[in-house]
Structures are given as C-alpha cells and as structure tokens.
Amino acid sequence: MLIGLALLCCNSLAHADEAAPLERGTAILEPFALRELDKGPFGLGRMLATGSDATLTSATLFALPAMQPIRKALDAEFDRYVEKHRTTLPNESIGVGTSYAFQLFDRAVLDAPDTRFVLAGVVNRMDRAFVDPDHCGEVRLLYRLTRTTPPEAKGGELASPRLPMTLNIVLKARSDEQARSNAPSCADIAKRWLATSDLQLTGPELAARLVAPDGPLALIRPENIHRIETNLQIAHAPKSDVRDFRTDYMMKVFDYQSASGTFEEAVLEDQVDRDRLLADAALAREFKAWLLDPVHLGELDRGTAVIPDKFLAKVAVAPTPVGFVNSDLLPAYGLVQGDSSGPAPLFTQADVVGALEQAAAQGVRLQNIQTVAGFERRLNDSSCGGCHQTRGIGGFHFPGVDWMAEKPSNTVVVPGSPHFFGDQVRRRDILTALAEGRTPDFSRGFASRPQLRGSDELAGTVYNDGWRNRARSPACGLRQER
C-alpha cells in the first residue's frame, strides 16, 4: 500500500531554494517539535479528551464511543466500493494483498494494537475565515497512521512504518466562548502565528514557545474541535496488461455533535453529488439556478463559494493520476460535458456563456472563469475530489512530517505537495491582512497553481508558478497526480 507515497530523491525539496521556508508563520513542520507536541498536549488521546494520558492505539481509538460512528461509516464505504468494483470491473480481482489486481487497504490495521495516528503537522487555515468569520477560520492537526513496531527491512533498507491514511482534526481558530467575547480577536490570533515566522528554535524549545501563554497553540483546546476529516488510499492497482497504474483515495467528513459527544457523518464541502444531480431533474434545476446566479458564479470564480448541503455528497473517491482528460474519473464529469450515450449535461455551453454575460453586465469581475472550459475546470478543482487530483504527493496534499524516521531532520519524504507549499504565500498574505485589521483577499486561483500575488516570493524557488521545474532536476520523481 505504501506505493502511493512518492519517495523523492531530492532531499528537503520543500526548502531547497528559499532563503526562508514558505510555510513560516502558517504551518508547523519542524519534526522534533512535532514529536514533543505529540507526546504532550496534542497527542490524539489528549485532543479527544479521553481522560487518559496513555497513547491511543488505533484499536483503542476506534473503540471510543465518539469514534465508533466514524469506523462504522468507513466500513460501509468499503463495502460499497468493493460492490461497485465487482459490478463495473468484474474481470479484475479485488482484495487485501498483492495477489489481487486491485489491492485494498487492509482495514485490520485499524484494529491493530501496534498502529496509531501520529501528529504529522499543524496547519493554520485562517484563510478559510470567509466560511466562518466568527471563529476566525480554522487550525488543523494532521495525524498520520503509523506502525509502532518497525516493519522488516527489505534489501538492507528499513521500510517506512507509515501507512496511507491521514486523520485531520479541524478546529475553530477560536472557541465558541472566545467568539462570543471577541477575545482574543482574529487579529490577535493572526499576530501570534506570524510571530513564529522568525523563530530559529527547534525541538522542545520550539514546542514550548508554541504552547506558551502567548503562543499560537495556547488557544487550541479540545473544545475547539469542529470536525474530523479522513483520507485513505482505499485501493491500488499496479500497471498491468489491461490497465495503467491507478490509485483510489477515499475522503469523508464527520462533524462533532456536542449533544451526543460523537462524530457523525456529514457532507464534504463543495463535493457536488454528481450522480444524484444527474438522476434528479428537479434538484439539478435548483443547483443550476443557484450556481449560475451572478453572485454565486463570482464566488465560484474566486474560490469562496459555499455550496448548500442539499447538493453535496458524503464521500469522495478520487482516482489518481487523472490529468485533464474528460472522463468519469473527474468529479464534475457529465455536468458540463459527458458521454453521448449518457444523460444530457446539466450545464450547456449556452447556459455558461449566458451566465458569464449576465455576470459581466452586473459588474461581477471574474478572475479565473472566462470560458466554458474554465467553468468546468473550476467546478472540478473546487471539489474535494477534484482538488485532490491536482499535484498531490501519492494522493495526499499533505502526507506529513515523518519524525519517526531514522533521520527525521534529513528525510527524503516531502511533507507537502507543490500546491501546499505554493499556497502558503496566499495564506500568509491573508494572515497579514487580518493582523493589520485590513479586509483580506480570500480568493484563490485554480488548484493547479498559485495566484500571481505569490509570484515574487516563488521566483527562484523550485516552484515555478506552482509547478515543479523538472528541467532543473530531472531525477526528482514528483508525480503529477492532481
């Protein structure tokens, strides 16, 4: 299953050319500090308020009453995935192990006493404050599923203990109580994060500074938890005589319900339920009217649209690599164009052109969507699955820092995709605006590359308008999957 992770031959690719790390002030990636935070207040058991300081194994984690709905929903999605595979690809076997054409994620590791989720990164997402301004956006704790007993060495090299699943605890940047009192303010929180930009500390010293009373992580407590997001490599198909290499990733979201104290299945933000829209004419008409409204079209263009839940799906399965070839592997396939033998597309060329003209007539200035093709691209890449198919590493935008590696400060596994690092400039720009009391520009470009506002800082780095410059280092094997 680890084939889904891209091991890069270029050491420390993320910081190869920059004088200062791109993620400064916006993310915490220092391996030894993450190790201290995982042992301390940000171990998964402490964040889930289990009442115990003991390390949570995967088996213990999913036995918690709060987590049982997550495990139940994951099992149901596995069953649906296998059933769909057997219906659509009856001649290609599927199961756990290398003897199968499609090699399934082994769910047994979720019940194992020797696996656990390890803190692999802390990411500031106050750039999402447009979704929830009262709580100043989000902070995310990303945990990577890892074996606690090292696997056997193969060919003299120690295999990575990490497994292809991440668990993302999404927290409100400030709690409900803090939001009611407006203390601290969004500006205060942004300043705390930006103040870490110039820190030269590592390990325990950096961890202590981050959790100090005036540090950015002092505000992050279990009561801030909003939801849990899961992402796992559900199946992998090696290249064969009948198909090219393919790996499928499954994503789900679970909102925290304070009344029951459990995480319950929820819709994925902006993941349009394509199949349901194509099957329900009334729902499709409603969605079409909503999205082509000039205000909402402008929000889609800027990347700030919040699509109503009624149009959204509760799971996304993102195959990689996909590229931009029109096929049913793309989340919006069939909505703008599709197979002539299938249902008529929801959005015709005349619909989109008319909406663009109406938006222009009403003074809505569009930055990204100028054509029907641009509309379709935006509809794809604004979804969870579509963004996931854009320049990820092994299907994850953030595989995370491997501080359990033999030499974590010299690891060859890049913690984030080019999109992740290229977007840090935009996120820091938003933090700076919040800190200075200005109205932030929350817009973002297409998922495949950063906006021009980051071009000066990205110039001269390994990121060339968001893309890896292969000509400079042709031996580096970063897969273009998204």
Side-chain angles (χ1 to χ4, degrees):
M1 298 297 287
L2 290 175
I3 195 169
L5 300 179
L7 296 180
L8 306 185
C9 60
C10 295
N11 189 25
S12 299
L13 177 65
H15 302 150
D17 294 343
E18 303 94 273
L22 286 171
E23 77 277 7
R24 64 189 185 280
T26 57
I28 299 165
L29 306 182
E30 204 282 317
F32 301 107
L34 289 170
R35 181 168 62 189
E36 291 299 311
L37 295 171
D38 185 76
K39 291 191 302 183
F42 295 102
L44 191 54
R46 296 177 186 86
M47 282 308 301
L48 293 178
T50 62
S52 171
D53 288 338
T55 299
L56 278 183
T57 66
S58 298
T60 306
L61 171 67
F62 287 107
L64 295 174
M67 298 293 290
Q68 288 176 8
I70 295 181
R71 181 58 195 276
K72 182 179 179 181
L74 292 177
D75 285 339
E77 292 297 349
F78 265 85
D79 294 341
R80 280 190 283 267
Y81 178 87
V82 171
E83 182 61 29
K84 181 178 180 181
H85 176 92
R86 288 173 176 165
T87 301
T88 57
L89 299 171
N91 297 323
E92 298 190 52
S93 61
I94 185 169
V96 176
T98 57
S99 63
Y100 294 92
F102 272 69
Q103 301 164 17
L104 273 177
F105 179 91
D106 186 0
R107 283 179 280 174
V109 299
L110 301 181
D111 301 316
D114 65 341
T115 63
R116 75 179 184 95
F117 287 89
V118 174
L119 182 66
V122 183
V123 180
N124 180 294
R125 293 308 308 270
M126 293 178 71
D127 61 294
R128 286 179 45 77
F130 69 90
V131 178
D132 186 5
D134 288 342
H135 294 97
C136 308
E138 302 166 354
V139 173
R140 301 183 178 188
L141 305 178
L142 292 113
Y143 296 83
R144 182 62 179 267
L145 183 60
T146 305
R147 293 190 184 278
T148 55
T149 54
E152 293 183 5
K154 296 180 180 180
E157 295 184 3
L158 186 64
S160 171
R162 304 207 298 174
L163 297 168
M165 179 175 181
T166 58
L167 189 153
N168 176 17
I169 295 186
V170 180
L171 305 109
K172 301 165 185 175
R174 65 180 181 184
S175 67
D176 293 342
E177 181 180 348
Q178 292 167 339
R180 285 191 291 269
S181 63
N182 195 31
S185 67
C186 296
D188 293 335
I189 299 173
K191 289 175 183 177
R192 290 182 181 225
W193 279 88
L194 292 172
T196 68
S197 298
D198 300 324
L199 292 179
Q200 302 298 313
L201 305 174
T202 60
E205 291 78 13
L206 176 57
R209 178 67 189 84
L210 294 171
V211 300
D214 61 342
L217 300 187
L219 304 173
I220 302 304
R221 304 183 181 94
E223 55 263 32
N224 292 51
I225 293 178
H226 177 46
R227 64 183 182 272
I228 282 179
E229 300 173 346
T230 60
N231 185 5
L232 60 87
Q233 183 192 101
I234 192 169
H236 167 69
K239 182 177 176 61
S240 68
D241 294 336
V242 298
R243 73 161 50 256
D244 290 330
F245 163 90
R246 172 176 157 183
T247 305
D248 289 354
Y249 295 86
M250 182 181 74
M251 291 164 281
K252 289 189 71 63
V253 171
F254 303 87
D255 286 347
Y256 181 69
Q257 304 294 329
S258 58
S260 62
T262 59
F263 291 94
E264 301 293 340
E265 188 178 31
V267 296
L268 283 75
E269 184 176 311
D270 293 339
Q271 181 70 32
V272 175
D273 193 332
R274 177 185 70 188
D275 294 340
R276 193 158 54 91
L277 286 172
L278 292 176
D280 187 333
L283 187 69
R285 286 193 299 271
E286 188 178 356
F287 176 63
K288 179 178 176 178
W290 186 90
L291 190 61
L292 295 185
D293 177 272
V295 173
H296 298 144
L297 184 62
E299 292 169 345
L300 178 70
D301 175 79
R302 294 190 300 275
T304 59
V306 181
I307 298 176
D309 289 357
K310 68 173 75 176
F311 305 123
L312 303 179
K314 290 187 176 181
V315 64
V317 176
T320 59
V322 172
F324 299 120
V325 176
N326 192 47
S327 76
D328 63 359
L329 299 182
L330 294 171
Y333 176 77
L335 296 182
V336 181
Q337 59 177 319
D339 194 322
S340 58
S341 62
L346 175 57
F347 299 97
T348 67
Q349 180 170 328
D351 292 331
V352 178
V353 171
L356 293 175
E357 292 175 347
Q358 184 180 11
Q362 295 188 19
V364 178
R365 300 182 61 182
L366 302 181
Q367 303 172 11
N368 300 292
I369 303 174
Q370 304 294 327
T371 63
V372 176
F375 174 80
E376 183 179 29
R377 174 74 65 84
R378 193 54 152 175
L379 198 56
N380 272 308
D381 83 3
S382 64
S383 68
C384 297
C387 180
H388 197 71
Q389 292 167 339
T390 308
R391 300 283 290 160
I393 298 177
F396 299 93
H397 266 313
F398 190 81
V401 177
D402 185 8
W403 52 260
M404 295 180 72
E406 185 178 1
K407 297 179 180 180
S409 62
N410 192 32
T411 181
V412 295
V413 180
V414 175
S417 71
H419 172 71
F420 172 82
F421 283 106
D423 197 44
Q424 300 307 308
V425 182
R426 181 188 71 91
R427 298 181 191 182
R428 196 179 322 107
D429 179 68
I430 291 172
L431 278 181
T432 301
L434 289 169
E436 295 176 353
R438 295 184 284 109
T439 300
D441 174 7
F442 288 111
S443 69
R444 63 173 178 85
F446 285 109
S448 57
R449 64 192 63 204
Q451 290 174 305
L452 289 177
R453 61 170 144 172
S455 58
D456 290 343
E457 187 167 348
L458 294 177
T461 73
V462 295
Y463 307 100
N464 182 11
D465 194 25
W467 295 94
R468 172 67 183 150
N469 187 345
R470 288 179 176 271
R472 298 181 57 181
S473 186
C476 294
L478 186 61
R479 288 211 309 273
Q480 296 188 29
E481 292 191 330
R482 301 188 71 161

